[in-house]
Amino acid sequence: MIRGVDEGERLEMLAAWLLAFLWAAPLLYAAWAAFHPMDFVSRFDLRAPLTLDNFRSAWKVAPFARYFLNTFLLVCMTLAGQLIVCTLAAYCFARFEFPGKNVAFLLVLVQIMIMPDVLIVQNYLTTSRLGLVDTILGIGLPYMGSAFGIFLLRQAFKQVPQELEDAARVEGAGWLSILLKVYVPLTRPTYLAYGLVSVSYHWNNFLWPVVITNSTTTRPLTVGLSIFGAPESGVNFSVISAGTLLAVSPLLIAFLLFQRQFVQSFMRSGIK
Amino acid sequence: MAAALRKAMSFNSKTARWVNAWLLLSPAAVLMVAFTHFPIVGGFFASFFSTARPGRPSRFVGVENYTSMLNDPVFWQVLGNNFFYALGTIPLSVSLALLMAVWVNGRFRGRAVVRAAYFTPTILPMIAVANIWLFFYTPQIGLLDKIRSLFGLASHSWLGDPGTALACLMVLAVWKDAGFFMIFYLAALQAIPPELEEAAVIEGAGRWYFFRRITVPLLMPTTLFVVVNATIHSFKLVDHIFILTKGGPDNASSLLLYYIYEVAFSFWDTAYASTLTVVLLAILGALAVGQFAYLEKRVHYR
């Protein structure tokens, strides 16, 4: 009887590992192709010679250094903007009473369902009126007023005991120092969660950046990768794999090192 | 006199607080209005005008864009594709997500490795993984055809065949999203009190019975959340199309948002692209209203 249960569970574990292997396979395969000569791209010989040539050619074929810089600037700029804008708005929604508050909050929630990603047509026209087409600021600006960030931080701020704010006020602290010295330090885990989700999102974002950029000096990694990986570019698969691994490596390494924080951040971001 | 002064003061401090509140809100308000609310409303207006062309300024055309949309076979095709795509990916990725969560929630050696394997596709850019998958699907030299050739099967142009191109995108989407949805089930599973399972074991309920009659109903709110999110994903995420098929052959693998992109930035017909966007927004809006109405009915939702 008990043996039967054991048997079933062992079978389930086998299935779990099999699925895990299936899920890891594309990335493992890309690594195989990137570190071996092109001849071994679909010949799995353990004695195949290892090489870094593919990485060298990828780095030479496309301006990856520039793409990295662009993505880095984009991610930092967007996150910085989001943190400032969302902190102020979240504090307002958590602790202030004012006429129009409910309507304003409802309007914020609209963006949870309809993100700027689907509004590319009108946002392109707006960005071009602002003269920000083909700038890194133009890629990040539509995302800086983030409903998701406001919502997440507002929830966290509401958990902060009102007495702490009152005490700080008695000591003569203004709202800005209350915000910076009471609210922000007490809600650091929420900031970390939001930061991780935002950085991964904008590191990976493609549609809006491809619409709004048209030169090497502004293109982020994803857009660069799409040009580089296109069949017209005539680059072979080993080199494409190497380039792809290069582009994903910072985020991938960060994830493998801080797996728990990543999973928890994404989890927290979904539990509304 | 003093009372009047106090009244004025309190009024002032109240007004000051209002002003403060709106000042705090203003950066977010300006950005959100400019890039979310204005484009929604502006796009709706633009759908009643013609696209401005050199020598032909934009003019009011009434519902002309909408009638030409209804007569546009490509519109119906991408809409159909999108529904088929949603129908094909959502049940599969959601049930796989639940399965993964149940497995990863158990105790066994190497659990962290398995969880990492399931979750990794989530943090990779769609563009990057599409580059890798493109090679799987390549006829003859691709991995898929290599495996098929082992069984003596002929090579097949997976992405070039209208019958299989959309399915290729769907497989990739399921692979990418299942691990993401897994973590929400994982969070919900960890919230189920262990006493429930102990009680069930004492009552002699089997694992499968417990899963079906207790776990699945308890996870209903999570399932709703995940399904709504998966539906939004299926209308919002079109990055892989750029790499794998470009919507082809003959729009067989194009989705609504990709078609909007093409109309706006390849054909430069912003009025028609705005009209198509109105349809996309109507779908997303209906989804939001449906979710809200459903939640209103359920008191037990956290």
Side-chain angles (χ1 to χ4, degrees):
Chain A
M1 182 72 193
I2 289 167
R3 280 213 69 80
V5 172
D6 265 357
E7 204 75 344
E9 279 186 12
R10 205 170 305 154
L11 217 65
E12 265 188 66
M13 285 310 89
L14 190 72
W17 276 101
L18 210 68
L19 194 67
F21 176 74
L22 212 63
W23 248 242
L27 203 60
L28 295 177
Y29 178 63
W32 172 273
F35 285 103
H36 290 103
M38 182 62 189
D39 303 340
F40 292 93
V41 79
S42 47
R43 245 174 65 202
F44 301 103
D45 187 344
L46 285 177
R47 287 160 303 166
L50 291 168
T51 173
L52 288 175
D53 283 351
N54 297 320
F55 289 92
R56 271 184 220 110
S57 349
W59 195 265
K60 240 181 283 162
V61 174
F64 272 109
R66 184 70 216 200
Y67 294 154
F68 265 107
L69 179 68
N70 294 340
T71 290
F72 181 76
L73 288 175
L74 167 68
V75 165
C76 290
M77 189 192 285
T78 308
L79 183 62
Q82 284 173 332
L83 290 183
I84 295 168
V85 169
C86 297
T87 299
L88 297 178
Y91 181 50
C92 170
F93 280 121
R95 287 295 187 243
F96 282 78
E97 288 305 325
F98 58 95
K101 181 178 173 180
N102 289 336
V103 177
F105 194 62
L106 211 65
L107 284 173
V108 169
L109 289 184
V110 166
Q111 204 208 55
I112 299 263
M113 287 307 273
I114 299 168
M115 292 188 63
D117 305 70
V118 294
L119 300 165
I120 48 173
V121 183
Q122 296 300 317
N123 278 345
Y124 179 83
L125 298 175
T126 305
T127 311
S128 109
R129 270 182 225 121
L130 292 172
L132 291 174
V133 171
D134 205 23
T135 62
I136 292 178
L137 180 63
I139 313 175
L141 198 62
Y143 295 96
M144 287 184 190
S146 152
F148 171 57
I150 294 172
F151 193 80
L152 215 60
L153 290 174
R154 165 186 168 269
Q155 297 292 88
F157 287 170
K158 282 189 143 193
Q159 309 291 321
V160 174
Q162 177 75 45
E163 295 81 42
L164 285 179
E165 173 165 355
D166 295 342
R169 210 175 280 281
V170 169
E171 308 235 323
W175 66 263
L176 187 63
S177 71
I178 291 176
L179 190 55
L180 290 178
K181 292 197 178 121
V182 179
Y183 284 91
V184 174
L186 285 173
T187 52
R188 210 173 284 148
T190 308
Y191 277 96
L192 179 71
Y194 181 67
L196 279 181
V197 173
S198 166
V199 167
S200 332
Y201 191 88
H202 291 286
W203 192 285
N204 296 344
N205 200 15
F206 173 74
L207 186 60
W208 175 246
V210 82
V211 164
I212 209 71
T213 60
N214 51 37
S215 59
T216 306
T217 49
T218 52
R219 273 181 198 129
L221 272 169
T222 47
V223 179
L225 212 51
S226 77
I227 301 169
F228 171 74
E232 306 91 78
S233 72
V235 182
N236 73 41
F237 181 69
S238 299
V239 176
I240 290 178
S241 290
T244 304
L245 284 186
L246 274 178
V248 302
S249 55
L251 215 55
L252 188 65
I253 291 167
F255 166 66
L256 294 176
L257 289 179
F258 305 106
Q259 220 197 107
R260 183 179 289 273
Q261 282 88 338
F262 265 88
V263 172
Q264 269 170 2
S265 300
F266 276 82
M267 220 181 237
R268 196 188 280 260
S269 73
I271 302 166
K272 288 171 187 168
Chain B
M1 179 68 190
L5 193 65
R6 209 173 312 130
K7 200 175 169 197
M9 287 266 289
S10 83
F11 176 77
N12 267 343
S13 79
K14 205 173 184 179
T15 328
R17 234 175 131 66
W18 289 356
V19 172
N20 251 333
W22 276 103
L23 279 178
L24 285 170
L25 199 55
S26 55
V30 168
L31 284 168
M32 290 185 106
V33 167
F35 293 104
T36 302
H37 304 105
F38 173 72
I40 293 174
V41 177
F44 184 67
F45 271 102
S47 71
F48 296 104
F49 287 81
S50 66
T51 302
R53 301 275 184 208
R56 242 184 333 138
S58 170
R59 59 181 179 85
F60 181 77
V61 292
V63 294
E64 205 175 275
N65 287 319
Y66 287 89
T67 42
S68 53
M69 177 175 77
L70 295 178
N71 290 319
D72 175 9
V74 180
F75 165 69
W76 291 109
Q77 188 176 7
V78 297
L79 199 63
N81 283 350
N82 222 144
F83 278 108
F84 187 61
Y85 180 82
L87 222 63
T89 52
I90 296 165
L92 198 59
S93 57
V94 172
S95 39
L96 270 173
L98 178 57
L99 196 66
M100 288 170 167
V102 169
W103 280 341
V104 166
N105 195 41
R107 303 208 172 280
F108 62 95
R109 271 173 58 181
R111 186 171 65 133
V113 177
V114 171
R115 188 184 56 192
Y118 293 161
F119 189 70
T120 304
T122 298
I123 58 144
L124 301 176
M126 191 56 137
I127 289 296
V129 296
N131 269 342
I132 301 171
W133 280 74
L134 176 64
F135 188 70
F136 291 170
Y137 292 135
T138 311
Q140 285 168 9
I141 54 165
L143 208 56
L144 203 57
D145 266 4
K146 287 274 184 197
I147 294 170
R148 275 167 60 94
S149 72
L150 291 180
F151 298 98
L153 293 165
S155 115
H156 183 77
S157 172
W158 299 97
L159 296 168
D161 176 353
T164 50
L166 190 61
C168 288
L169 298 179
M170 286 158 66
V171 172
L172 172 53
V174 168
W175 174 78
K176 180 108 170 67
D177 279 345
F180 178 56
F181 300 141
M182 168 192 77
I183 60 173
F184 302 113
Y185 276 124
L186 200 53
L189 281 175
Q190 281 161 4
I192 294 178
E195 296 83 39
L196 270 179
E197 185 151 19
E198 287 160 20
V201 169
I202 292 167
E203 295 287 325
R207 254 168 76 80
W208 171 241
Y209 183 85
F210 181 79
F211 177 75
R212 219 163 27 100
R213 302 302 295 266
I214 301 189
T215 311
V216 170
L218 277 176
L219 293 179
M220 265 319 279
T222 313
T223 303
L224 175 73
F225 170 79
V226 167
V227 168
V228 168
N229 264 283
T231 315
I232 297 174
H233 265 204
S234 68
F235 282 98
K236 202 185 83 175
L237 205 65
V238 295
D239 301 359
H240 45 336
I241 302 181
F242 282 81
I243 298 287
L244 291 179
T245 64
K246 300 226 179 325
D250 279 335
N251 299 303
S253 65
S254 187
L255 301 178
L256 185 52
L257 184 55
Y258 187 79
Y259 186 47
I260 292 173
Y261 167 84
E262 276 192 318
V263 170
F265 302 104
S266 297
F267 315 145
W268 292 101
D269 188 348
T270 46
Y272 188 42
S274 300
T275 314
L276 293 166
T277 306
V278 170
V279 174
L280 181 56
L281 295 186
I283 294 170
L284 292 176
L287 202 63
V289 171
Q291 181 191 21
F292 190 70
Y294 183 79
L295 289 184
E296 284 287 274
K297 276 202 292 186
R298 290 182 63 97
V299 196
H300 283 294
Y301 190 78
R302 286 169 298 161

